[in-house]
Amino acid sequence: MKKLCVSEQRRKNMKAIRSKNTTIEIKVASALRSHGIRARRNVENLFGKPDFAIKKYKIAIFIDSCFWHGCTEHGRIPNNNRDYWVNKILRNQIRDKEVTHYYLSIGWNILRIWEHDLKNDFDGTIKKIVDFIIRAKDNLKKTRLARKQSELMQ
């Protein structure tokens, strides 16, 4: 009977975990807004559903949780049903690489942030995200300007 209780408790815990509008996402969105940055959250029509995206500037930002994405520092695989969890997290890591490769191959700017980076140094990590967005915007503006100048010279 004890094993059933553990399984029921595990099921209850796992059902309570959100995939969007997490506390960390809400905090990051608020911090980005305070820097004057507007980004769409959990963009369903983009591959991999980025946690934050700015389509105009081809920016995709993912916040990877230590548990679900297999952080080597903090990711812990449950002992119950261990084979399932090992395979699940491995599939997530493979998908993360595929998503990253996809965005890079189509010329997007992609940033992956570990959940623990936000927990350990929230302000520093927000600065990293803001700097990344500013650089990506500037680079895209320069590329578009160079393209226009090239077209005018032809």
Side-chain angles (χ1 to χ4, degrees):
M1 187 69 181
K2 182 156 174 85
K3 187 157 183 105
L4 180 62
C5 292
V6 170
S7 296
E8 288 301 317
Q9 184 61 44
R10 167 88 57 202
R11 185 182 342 266
K12 186 177 178 184
N13 290 348
M14 297 314 278
K15 270 183 97 171
I17 297 171
R18 292 192 217 157
S19 64
K20 52 186 169 181
N21 293 323
T22 63
T23 303
I24 250 176
E25 278 182 18
I26 292 167
K27 285 181 175 180
V28 170
S30 176
L32 292 178
R33 275 194 307 277
S34 75
H35 283 88
I37 295 171
R38 301 282 185 259
R40 292 193 179 274
R41 292 190 352 209
N42 301 298
V43 186
E44 303 261 336
N45 66 347
L46 288 178
F47 182 59
K49 297 179 190 169
D51 295 304
F52 297 93
I54 306 173
K55 290 181 184 180
K56 179 179 179 179
Y57 297 108
K58 298 181 176 184
I59 296 170
I61 301 169
F62 293 86
I63 299 172
D64 295 336
S65 78
C66 292
F67 175 79
W68 292 106
H69 297 270
C71 168
T72 55
E73 290 180 50
H74 306 101
R76 191 185 73 73
I77 296 172
N79 290 327
N80 288 354
N81 208 2
R82 189 166 181 79
D83 289 342
Y84 167 81
W85 288 110
V86 167
N87 288 327
K88 170 68 176 160
I89 292 168
L90 182 61
R91 284 192 316 268
N92 289 348
Q93 291 171 329
I94 291 167
R95 188 183 63 243
D96 291 345
K97 288 176 184 167
E98 289 171 353
V99 169
T100 298
H101 176 74
Y102 170 78
Y103 282 108
L104 292 175
S105 72
I106 62 169
W108 276 54
N109 301 282
I110 183 167
L111 180 64
R112 287 193 169 275
I113 298 289
W114 281 108
E115 166 191 40
H116 67 253
D117 290 334
L118 287 160
K119 288 181 177 178
N120 293 341
D121 182 13
F122 186 81
D123 293 336
T125 305
I126 292 299
K127 181 179 178 347
K128 180 179 176 180
I129 296 170
V130 169
D131 290 347
F132 170 80
I133 292 170
I134 290 168
R135 273 193 320 275
K137 283 181 175 183
D138 288 346
N139 289 341
L140 191 61
K141 286 178 183 177
K142 287 176 187 175
T143 302
R144 288 177 178 164
L145 180 62
R147 191 177 303 134
K148 278 185 181 180
Q149 288 174 341
S150 174
E151 289 170 1
L152 290 174
M153 296 177 82
Q154 291 179 359

